[in-house]
Amino acid sequence: MNTQSSATYKSPLGVVLTTSYDWRAFIAAVKKRAIDASIWGYMDPDPEDTPLMPSLPIAPTLADFTRPNQQQLATNANRSVVYTDLTAGQKADYAFIYNQYHNDLREYKDRMKAIQDLRRNLTSSLGSTALVYIQDTDTLADKLRILKAKYAPSNHIYELAISCIYNRLKTIAKTTKTTTWLDRWEEALNEAIRLELPEVDRLRPVWDFLEAIKPLNPYF
C-alpha cells in the first residue's frame, strides 16, 4: 500500500482493507469495477475452482482455407499457401474470420488491461497485513478468496462492529473535524439502518445526533 498515512492516503477503490469492518465496502468496490469491465467472472472468489484467464486468440492462416494443388506441390514440396491460391469464396471466408480474429484480439487486450489495472488498484487498497496474506498468490480470484477468509465477518460480528462504531460516534472527539465526523456518522447510521439495529429504531438517531452536536452548538 502507499506509504502515506491512512488518514491522508486516497485508495483507488475508495476504501483500504485493514479490518473486517472494511470488507463489505472493499469487495463491493472490487466487484463493481470488475463487472463494469466485464471481468468479474475471472476473479469471483466464491466458486471452488479458480477461473481460467482469457485465452489469447489464434490468428487464422491461409492454409486453414486451402492447400496447394498437385502441380504446385510437384513444383515445390515446401511451398507455402499464398493469398492468390484462394478462390473468391475462400478469400471472403478468410477475410471474415480474420476480421473476427482482430475483434477477439482487441477484446482480449482490453480485458487483460482491465485485469492488470484492477490488480494494481486492489494491491494499492490493502493494508500492510492484508498484503502479507496474498503475497504468494497469483490470480485475483485466489487473492480475493484468501482476503475473504481473513476479513469477511459473520453477520453477528459485523452487526456488533457497526453498533460499536455508531455508539462511539455519539461523542465527538475534540481533535476530530466536524465535516469528518459528519461523514462517519452518516456512513455508520446508514449501515445501522440497513442492518435494522435497535440503536437506530424510530427517532433514536435524531436524539443521538442532537446530543452529539450539543457541545458544538448549545442552541440545539
Side-chain angles (χ1 to χ4, degrees), residues 68-89:
N69 58 37
Q70 293 300 317
Q71 181 179 356
Q72 292 169 334
L73 288 173
T75 303
N76 185 350
N78 296 321
R79 181 183 182 280
S80 299
V81 178
V82 295
Y83 186 72
T84 54
D85 292 332
L86 274 61
T87 65

Side-chain angles (χ1 to χ4, degrees), residues 164-189 205-217 220:
C164 289
I165 291 171
Y166 175 80
N167 287 317
R168 188 167 64 245
L169 288 170
K170 290 180 182 179
T171 302
I172 305 177
K174 293 181 179 180
T175 56
T176 302
K177 292 182 178 180
T178 304
T179 54
T180 301
W181 177 84
L182 284 171
D183 289 339
R184 293 173 180 172
W185 171 268
E186 184 177 7
E187 180 182 357
L189 175 60
V206 176
W207 297 115
D208 289 340
F209 177 81
L210 294 176
E211 285 296 320
I213 65 173
K214 186 177 292 184
L216 302 178
N217 192 332
F220 276 96

Side-chain angles (χ1 to χ4, degrees), residues 8-199:
T8 59
Y9 176 63
K10 218 38 183 170
S11 161
L13 296 177
V15 57
V16 177
L17 181 61
T18 54
T19 68
S20 293
Y21 172 71
D22 306 316
W23 171 253
R24 297 196 182 197
F26 172 81
I27 192 62
V30 171
K31 187 173 183 178
K32 183 181 185 306
R33 293 281 186 94
I35 290 176
D36 289 346
S38 301
I39 57 174
W40 177 244
Y42 300 111
M43 63 192 66
D44 187 348
D46 290 332
E48 294 183 3
D49 297 329
T50 299
L52 296 176
M53 294 296 286
S55 299
L56 178 66
I58 300 174
T61 65
L62 295 173
D64 296 330
F65 297 85
T66 188
R67 294 182 178 179
N69 58 37
Q70 293 300 317
Q71 181 179 356
Q72 292 169 334
L73 288 173
T75 303
N76 185 350
N78 296 321
R79 181 183 182 280
S80 299
V81 178
V82 295
Y83 186 72
T84 54
D85 292 332
L86 274 61
T87 65
Q90 291 168 339
K91 289 177 180 178
D93 291 341
Y94 175 76
F96 176 80
I97 297 300
Y98 199 79
N99 183 65
Q100 183 62 51
Y101 159 74
H102 268 287
N103 292 336
D104 292 343
L105 182 62
R106 181 170 58 251
E107 182 177 300
Y108 167 81
K109 290 180 178 179
D110 289 344
R111 287 188 175 178
M112 290 303 296
K113 182 180 183 303
I115 290 172
Q116 292 304 319
D117 288 346
L118 188 51
R119 181 192 298 271
R120 184 170 55 253
N121 290 337
L122 183 147
T123 302
S124 298
S125 300
L126 299 178
S128 56
T129 302
L131 282 171
V132 173
Y133 289 144
I134 65 166
Q135 63 181 354
D136 296 325
T137 58
D138 183 34
T139 69
L140 281 171
D142 287 339
K143 293 179 189 296
L144 291 176
R145 195 173 289 125
I146 290 174
L147 293 173
K148 180 179 180 181
K150 296 292 185 181
Y151 289 98
S154 66
N155 290 336
H156 177 64
I157 292 176
Y158 185 69
E159 288 176 2
L160 286 177
I162 296 301
S163 177
C164 289
I165 291 171
Y166 175 80
N167 287 317
R168 188 167 64 245
L169 288 170
K170 290 180 182 179
T171 302
I172 305 177
K174 293 181 179 180
T175 56
T176 302
K177 292 182 178 180
T178 304
T179 54
T180 301
W181 177 84
L182 284 171
D183 289 339
R184 293 173 180 172
W185 171 268
E186 184 177 7
E187 180 182 357
L189 175 60
N190 288 337
E191 192 64 3
I193 291 174
R194 187 185 72 81
L195 295 171
E196 298 181 351
L197 298 183
E199 289 90 336

